[in-house]
Amino acid sequence: MSADPNLRREIPDATVARLPEYLRTLSRLAEDGVLSVSSEELAAAVGVRSAQLRKDLSHLGSYGVRGVGYEVETLALEISRALGLTEDWPVAIVGMGNLGHALASYSGFVTKGFRIVGLFDDDPALAGQHVVGVPIRPLADLPACQVADPVSIGVIATPARAAQAVCDSLVAVGVTSILNFAPAVLTVPEGVDVRRVDLSTELQILAFHAQRKSLAAGDGDLRSVVSQ
Amino acid sequence: MSADPNLRREIPDATVARLPEYLRTLSRLAEDGVLSVSSEELAAAVGVRSAQLRKDLSHLGSYGVRGVGYEVETLALEISRALGLTEDWPVAIVGMGNLGHALASYSGFVTKGFRIVGLFDDDPALAGQHVVGVPIRPLADLPACQVADPVSIGVIATPARAAQAVCDSLVAVGVTSILNFAPAVLTVPEGVDVRRVDLSTELQILAFHAQRKSLAAGDGDLRSVVSQ
């Protein structure tokens, strides 16, 4: 057995999915100079129930102090550590169209432990261009790059039809964590994690609330739903 | 009171957040020619427990048929209707850098009830360019455009420093649903919904699982986590 207490502690997937939101809110509080926060305040800022927040944080072994709450910086560090963000995660982006360019320049990608080490696209018009100081190379260069500076996480930002071949290339050089922005379901061998991002999900959730508002407005019962 | 049964039925936020995933999976099944699906199969394809799925769908009044499950097309339509996707949602995107361009061209935005009616950017170099057939205009044209073809949902794809002013402009012309991709927290009046998309959230969740894998590999206990 490993001696790392994080390994032995099981954290439910739903809790893991909320940790980035807690961390984002804590970072904002820290920027504003806030030193400690009650579970009620933090829960309200994130948009979850405080009982849910306390339960989630208890999985990290963080229980706060009665009457004081949580120390903002300490809790942020604990969540960062649980998420693995205190380590170094070399990232490669494949597909340097508009989305790939936007992702390479996205401030949330280059902070928080992620480091872009490779940008790939087979379009000859893009070859040799630099984005955030990293040259765009053809995908055929991936194995050589992998030797020089191994990639931990591959990001697929290609059209759907190219996504599976790109995924196979990433897996072939030993990448076992893949973030897929292409609207395609990928087949991967056991031991490889794929997470798909669908940019329209939040738009659909907004449409739900907009529909409720327009129905409720007919009832004279307009309610505000703010969740950011 | 309204006669619309959807209005009186309260759907928890966590259920609403899962509905787009159910819909995406059902659309894929329909494309593959699948006519009916059991709650176990659908839950496994989405990556939730089947009890959770049945509870979520019961909020829509969908209970399936014992031994048969759910009819794929009927359930997809019920979820679309609950999300409001059977209505027409005119969308404006403000900020036509790489992310704005990527969003305007994103297939998930232009299908599913969303229709791009306005693209705005104050960069003179972009003025008059067309993306997906829609001209890019300066933000000062928003009020006039709003009269011609009113926007329901505004998407902010600007840098963080411009986001609040853009948000204020959208609110001023009556937009009450805003999707914010900028890494900024927006202040809005009551009755306006803001949802923030942080593109690094999924990367952080991947890092969590990658860290688990590398720790577990030391233990000889490599596990696969696939969630797409």
Side-chain angles (χ1 to χ4, degrees):
Chain A
M1 287 298 288
S2 163
D4 190 307
N6 255 340
L7 179 61
R8 278 170 300 174
R9 199 177 281 141
E10 277 296 325
I11 305 183
D13 283 350
T15 295
V16 173
R18 283 186 289 268
L19 293 180
E21 303 230 25
Y22 297 156
L23 182 57
R24 196 170 70 195
T25 303
L26 288 163
S27 301
R28 182 155 52 86
L29 292 171
E31 277 170 28
D32 291 348
V34 177
L35 298 178
S36 67
V37 64
S38 70
S39 57
E40 287 75 17
E41 288 165 333
L42 182 56
V46 171
V48 298
R49 287 172 296 108
S50 60
Q52 177 78 73
L53 176 90
R54 283 193 296 272
K55 193 172 173 202
D56 283 343
L57 296 181
S58 73
H59 289 297
L60 309 186
S62 295
Y63 295 96
V65 176
R66 184 172 293 276
V68 178
Y70 299 91
E71 284 182 33
V72 170
E73 294 216 353
T74 306
L75 185 56
L77 183 63
E78 283 172 352
I79 294 176
S80 292
R81 198 179 288 135
L83 283 170
L85 304 182
T86 49
E87 296 180 36
D88 173 53
W89 296 105
V91 172
I93 300 175
V94 186
M96 288 302 295
N98 285 310
L99 182 60
H101 267 84
L103 294 173
S105 314
Y106 189 73
S107 61
F109 269 31
V110 291
T111 54
K112 299 180 190 158
F114 302 107
R115 182 168 56 92
I116 291 173
V117 297
L119 300 174
F120 298 93
D121 200 304
D122 282 345
D123 182 350
L126 295 173
Q129 280 189 26
H130 283 66
V131 181
V132 292
V134 179
I136 301 176
R137 303 172 202 267
L139 193 56
D141 287 2
L142 176 63
C145 293
Q146 187 69 355
V147 173
D149 198 351
V151 167
S152 293
I153 298 178
V155 176
I156 301 178
T158 65
R161 65 183 179 282
Q164 183 65 55
V166 166
C167 177
D168 294 345
S169 300
L170 288 165
V171 170
V173 298
V175 176
T176 57
S177 299
I178 293 172
L179 189 60
N180 177 30
F181 282 89
V185 175
L186 302 176
T187 304
V188 291
E190 195 155 335
V192 176
D193 291 356
V194 176
R195 291 191 71 89
R196 167 132 173 242
V197 180
D198 182 339
L199 295 174
S200 66
T201 298
E202 294 292 326
L203 205 56
Q204 294 178 41
I205 295 172
L206 259 185
F208 171 84
H209 289 297
Q211 176 186 236
R212 290 282 148 142
K213 274 193 295 192
S214 82
L215 291 170
D219 255 12
D221 175 33
L222 186 64
R223 287 185 310 156
S224 170
V225 184
V226 179
S227 151
Q228 37 179 327
Chain B
M1 289 296 291
S2 163
D4 190 304
N6 255 341
L7 179 61
R8 279 170 300 175
R9 199 178 280 142
E10 277 296 324
I11 305 184
D13 282 351
T15 295
V16 173
R18 283 186 288 268
L19 292 180
E21 302 230 27
Y22 297 156
L23 182 57
R24 196 170 71 194
T25 303
L26 288 164
S27 301
R28 182 155 53 86
L29 291 171
E31 277 171 26
D32 291 349
V34 177
L35 298 178
S36 68
V37 64
S38 70
S39 57
E40 288 75 17
E41 289 166 330
L42 183 56
V46 172
V48 298
R49 287 172 298 109
S50 60
Q52 177 78 74
L53 175 90
R54 283 192 297 270
K55 193 172 173 201
D56 283 342
L57 296 182
S58 73
H59 289 297
L60 309 186
S62 296
Y63 295 95
V65 175
R66 185 172 290 276
V68 178
Y70 298 91
E71 284 183 34
V72 170
E73 294 216 353
T74 306
L75 184 56
L77 183 63
E78 282 172 353
I79 294 176
S80 292
R81 197 178 289 135
L83 283 169
L85 304 182
T86 50
E87 297 180 36
D88 173 53
W89 297 105
V91 172
I93 300 176
V94 186
M96 289 301 293
N98 286 310
L99 183 60
H101 268 85
L103 293 173
S105 315
Y106 190 73
S107 60
F109 269 31
V110 292
T111 54
K112 298 179 190 160
F114 302 106
R115 180 167 59 90
I116 291 173
V117 297
L119 299 175
F120 298 93
D121 199 303
D122 281 344
D123 182 350
L126 295 173
Q129 280 189 26
H130 283 67
V131 180
V132 292
V134 178
I136 301 176
R137 303 174 202 266
L139 193 57
D141 287 2
L142 177 63
C145 295
Q146 187 69 354
V147 173
D149 198 350
V151 167
S152 294
I153 298 178
V155 176
I156 300 178
T158 65
R161 65 183 179 282
Q164 183 64 56
V166 165
C167 177
D168 294 345
S169 301
L170 288 165
V171 170
V173 299
V175 176
T176 57
S177 299
I178 293 173
L179 188 60
N180 178 30
F181 282 89
V185 174
L186 301 176
T187 304
V188 291
E190 196 155 335
V192 176
D193 291 355
V194 176
R195 291 191 72 87
R196 167 131 174 243
V197 180
D198 182 339
L199 295 173
S200 66
T201 298
E202 294 292 326
L203 205 57
Q204 293 179 40
I205 296 172
L206 260 185
F208 171 83
H209 290 296
Q211 176 186 237
R212 291 282 148 142
K213 275 192 295 191
S214 81
L215 291 170
D219 257 13
D221 176 32
L222 186 64
R223 288 185 307 158
S224 170
V225 185
V226 179
S227 150
Q228 39 179 325

